[in-house]
């Protein structure tokens, strides 16, 4: 169907509910990279044609060893500079599990990754939402789809807070900087 179906989908959604905030969101676009560059070009074209696009979201399914790209804030900002709201629409940070329970060092690194993405959002005034992808490891999608990984959420399977939850709460208490 090509690009016209994207344009039509946004226009039809806007016609159905003119008050709805319409976002493009995808995975592997958390940093500045070829895929997010392509989305930036697409959004510019859509806006130039008057297509009702109101925001851009990143689905960040990260790894505690690799962390978040250093360009998350810059990427969010460049979409915000187009007049769009931006959001973290999904975030989890998987941990390699050579054993059943992750080490404290792995959990601290995970907390750093959650914190860095949340900081990036808080530093962009048009970042309107920060959503984690699951809150307890009991129901996380990661072990089933990423064998050898797990512990990706803010709470253990027993609903105990991990350092990532505490870091996230602390960052939110600090607010925008």
């Amino acid at each position: 169907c090509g690009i016209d179906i994207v344009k039509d989908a946004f226009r039809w959604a806007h016609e159905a509910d003119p008050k709805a905030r319409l976002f493009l969101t995808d995975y592997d676009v958390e940093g500045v990279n070829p895929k997010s560059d392509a989305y930036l070009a697409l959004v510019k074209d859509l806006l130039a044609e008057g297509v009702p696009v109101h925001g851009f979201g990143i689905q960040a399914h990260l790894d505690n060893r690799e962390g978040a790209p250093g360009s998350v804030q810059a990427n969010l900002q460049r979409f915000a500079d187009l007049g769009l709201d931006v959001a973290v629409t999904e975030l989890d940070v998987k941990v390699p599990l050579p054993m059943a329970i992750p080490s404290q060092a792995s959990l601290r690194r995970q907390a750093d990754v959650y914190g860095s993405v949340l900081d990036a959002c808080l530093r962009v005034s048009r970042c309107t939402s920060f959503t984690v992808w699951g809150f307890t490891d009991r129901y996380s999608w990661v072990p089933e789809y990423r064998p050898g990984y797990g512990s990706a959420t803010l709470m253990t399977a027993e609903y105990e807070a991990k350092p990532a939850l505490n870091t996230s709460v602390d960052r939110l208490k600090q607010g925008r900087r």
Side-chain angles (χ1 to χ4, degrees), residues 2 5 81-82 150 175:
I5 192 66
D81 289 345
L82 297 177

Side-chain angles (χ1 to χ4, degrees), residues 62-67 93-96 106 109-110 113 149:
L62 304 174
D63 181 311
N64 79 322
R65 293 176 302 175
E66 296 172 19
V93 182
K94 63 186 175 291
V95 175
S106 288
R109 177 67 183 132
Q110 178 187 55
V113 177
Y149 288 89

